[in-house]
Amino acid sequence: MNADLGVVGLGVMGQNLALNALDHGFQVAVWNRHSATMETFVAAHPGPNLLGARTLAELVQALARPRRVLLMISPGPPIDETIAHLQPLLAHGDVVIDGGNSWFKDTQRREATLAAAGLLFIGSGVSGGEEGARSGPSLMPGGPRVAYEAVRRLFEAIAAKTRFGPCVGWMGPDGAGHFVKMVHNGIEYGVMQLIAETYDVLRTELRLSNDESAAVFARWNRGPLESFLVELTARVLRVRDEDGGHLVDQVEDAAAQKGTGRWTNEIALELAVPVPTIAAALDARVLSSMRAERLAAARRLPRPAARRWSGAPRSWIAALEDALLGGAICAYAQGLALIRAASAAYGWHVDLPEVARVWTGGCIIRARLLVRIMAAFRRQPDLPNLLVDPAIARELARVERRWRAVVAEAARTGVPAGAMAASLAYLDTYRAARLPQNLTQAQRDAFGAHTYRRLDRPDAGPQHSSWALPVERPTRRRRR
């Protein structure tokens, strides 16, 4: 057998990607650390184009040259261990693909190590979950361009398709692909938190039932907010439990994370790129996990007396739609600004319109908004930030008043809306012609001699001043 692809790791994602490739006429060889999993999978899908291998050596022998081996295993040490076992079995020009959520600096290291041995390495983001892997994911490969060309036909076949083409594109060298996928997940954190805050208001303040809230999200999904996550929210809110109640009401309010959101925040700090919406979403997940502390605090810390939102629910629903759209725009803007900064720092030359195009289908953050984002960066490739695109700026101006009202009402009534507030603060800060950090820098110079620059003499360079006040001498009163 001269298989087109070898898949290492037969979890749900590995199995579904293998089946996806089979659907498109490719021959696939598979291997799993536990042979029983491999045997069960092969037995469930009999046919001449699927081969189960009992060893990695057998898998490699079944592949056509150049060999293409896709690793769908846990990130971290398991990737390095598997590569160490694979490397002696491979030959010059063979391609190893890491399809997991690996830290991009690990991908850079692995690519350099394999390149020294004459092997090609791709770190590819794969988004879309189980369903996307089976029917068409969004793929974000990074690595040597020659490596991408070796897998391009396969990747374009199995990727999701939209009117803009297959949802796959070369992101750039070494770790660019995994970096773009990491930021994708960071944006995902932000938008999910914005949706959660919106749901919270609908449920607790406007007293909408789950079915009524689902109808609101379904209606929004036919407008500017059309997206996979909004559609998913409407579906999740309708699902019933065994007892006839809504299943979502029985889900513990503690959200987990796998690390990509944290990585996004960490590298954003390193590259000095503000991502407050994504940071607020991460903070919300961490706070949600402190459930025992929150329950105790709820008994000791009373909320504001004003508990109900003033005004008609219909008007607030319209305002929430605007707030959610404004917040989502800011989440995408922050993520794309981070990709741009990393691209400059690491010499990747990532094509932002291509990133937006790849995200239009298959992935978790696919949304109608991405078409406008793609158009914005095509109009002006050097656009410093999505927010200053004329069309996007007009949209922000349209939603701002009601978005601001939502954030203000949430603050008045004690409803946690950190991501909505962070997004609005990001917009307000980014467009401010004058910020109060002149005082911050003056304080830094006063206590630590950190210097400052003068507005009236911009070419004078760093300045240091004495900020001590003159000592006031008491005046003596004359005796009469």
Side-chain angles (χ1 to χ4, degrees):
M1 186 175 187
N2 289 316
D4 304 290
L5 176 67
V7 177
V8 172
L10 290 175
V12 174
M13 291 292 288
Q15 288 187 23
N16 283 355
L17 286 170
L19 293 174
N20 188 344
L22 287 170
D23 287 346
H24 288 87
F26 294 98
Q27 292 185 320
V28 181
V30 297
W31 177 85
N32 193 73
R33 186 163 58 94
H34 300 292
S35 295
T37 302
M38 177 272 293
E39 291 168 355
T40 301
F41 176 67
V42 172
H45 303 91
N49 288 337
L50 178 62
L51 170 71
R54 293 185 173 276
T55 66
L56 280 176
E58 188 176 323
L59 177 89
V60 170
Q61 290 167 4
L63 299 177
R65 300 284 304 274
R67 303 178 181 97
R68 291 166 283 264
V69 182
L70 172 62
L71 309 182
M72 295 303 299
I73 57 180
S74 300
I79 297 288
D80 290 314
E81 292 168 9
T82 304
I83 290 174
H85 289 299
L86 270 174
Q87 186 173 333
L89 305 173
L90 299 174
H92 182 87
D94 289 346
V95 184
V96 178
I97 309 155
D98 176 9
N101 284 326
S102 290
W103 175 234
F104 80 99
K105 291 187 178 181
D106 287 341
T107 303
Q108 290 177 315
R109 170 178 56 80
R110 291 164 184 151
E111 193 272 332
T113 299
L114 290 180
L119 302 175
L120 300 172
F121 186 74
I122 290 176
S124 181
V126 179
S127 180
E130 299 174 17
E131 181 180 341
R134 183 67 182 88
S135 59
S138 173
L139 299 170
M140 294 150 263
R145 186 61 189 252
V146 64
Y148 174 62
E149 294 302 329
V151 302
R152 182 172 186 165
R153 186 174 69 91
L154 169 68
F155 274 24
E156 288 184 347
I158 67 174
K161 311 295 188 300
T162 70
R163 60 191 173 98
F164 305 106
C167 293
V168 58
W170 183 63
M171 297 291 101
D174 55 71
H178 274 147
F179 191 95
V180 170
K181 176 56 165 60
M182 176 195 71
V183 174
H184 165 285
N185 287 17
I187 295 171
E188 178 185 309
Y189 272 53
V191 175
M192 289 179 71
Q193 180 59 27
L194 290 163
I195 291 173
E197 292 171 8
T198 303
Y199 154 72
D200 194 24
V201 173
L202 293 173
R203 174 188 60 169
T204 63
E205 304 305 314
L206 305 185
R207 303 294 196 268
L208 268 62
S209 68
N210 285 322
D211 289 328
E212 289 170 331
S213 295
V216 169
F217 281 104
R219 186 173 71 253
W220 287 350
N221 196 49
R222 296 191 292 269
L225 282 170
E226 180 187 356
S227 63
F228 169 74
L229 285 171
V230 170
E231 175 190 355
L232 180 68
T233 304
R235 184 174 60 188
V236 166
L237 290 173
R238 290 193 178 103
V239 174
R240 298 279 177 169
D241 200 1
E242 296 173 353
D243 62 1
H246 286 88
L247 181 57
V248 70
D249 291 335
Q250 301 307 320
V251 177
E252 186 180 70
D253 56 331
Q257 53 176 310
K258 289 189 174 181
T260 47
R262 174 174 55 82
W263 290 347
T264 304
N265 280 275
E266 288 174 352
I267 197 63
L269 287 171
E270 184 177 320
L271 295 174
V273 178
V275 291
T277 307
I278 299 170
L282 181 65
D283 288 344
R285 292 199 186 191
V286 175
L287 281 164
S288 77
S289 69
M290 300 161 54
R291 192 165 188 272
E293 286 187 51
R294 289 190 292 107
L295 292 174
R299 294 190 291 268
R300 296 190 179 190
L301 301 172
R303 292 182 62 178
R307 286 291 295 114
R308 293 295 298 272
W309 283 36
S310 58
R314 181 177 297 180
S315 65
W316 280 120
I317 290 172
L320 286 166
E321 181 180 13
D322 285 351
L324 181 53
L325 180 57
I329 289 172
C330 287
Y332 282 96
Q334 293 161 30
L336 290 164
L338 180 56
I339 292 173
R340 164 160 281 169
S343 179
Y346 298 109
W348 288 335
H349 304 287
V350 177
D351 185 347
L352 292 184
E354 179 69 351
V355 172
R357 187 196 67 78
V358 167
W359 287 348
T360 57
C363 71
I364 303 301
I365 63 170
R366 61 186 185 265
R368 181 187 296 190
L369 178 60
L370 281 160
V371 178
R372 303 176 70 176
I373 292 173
M374 181 171 52
F377 284 102
R378 282 179 174 173
R379 280 192 297 268
Q380 186 180 343
D382 61 345
L383 190 69
N385 190 292
L386 177 65
L387 302 188
V388 296
D389 173 73
I392 295 295
R394 286 193 297 271
E395 187 75 332
L396 291 170
R398 182 186 68 80
V399 304
E400 180 183 342
R401 180 181 62 82
R402 293 198 289 197
W403 177 11
R404 197 173 295 281
V406 166
V407 171
E409 191 72 359
R412 186 182 74 84
T413 57
V415 175
M420 283 189 181
S423 298
L424 186 58
Y426 178 74
L427 170 63
D428 285 339
T429 305
Y430 186 74
R431 68 181 174 191
R434 178 80 171 176
L435 289 169
Q437 273 63 48
N438 57 320
L439 175 60
T440 303
Q441 195 60 24
Q443 291 172 326
R444 294 183 73 245
D445 189 51
F447 68 65
H450 293 294
T451 74
Y452 62 94
R453 292 182 179 273
R454 296 184 64 102
L455 288 174
D456 56 349
R457 297 201 296 271
D459 298 329
Q463 303 289 307
H464 170 60
S465 297
S466 172
W467 297 89
L469 294 173
V471 178
E472 295 186 6
R473 299 180 179 279
T475 57
R476 294 183 179 180
R477 298 179 64 182
R478 292 182 180 181
R479 294 181 180 178
R480 294 185 177 178

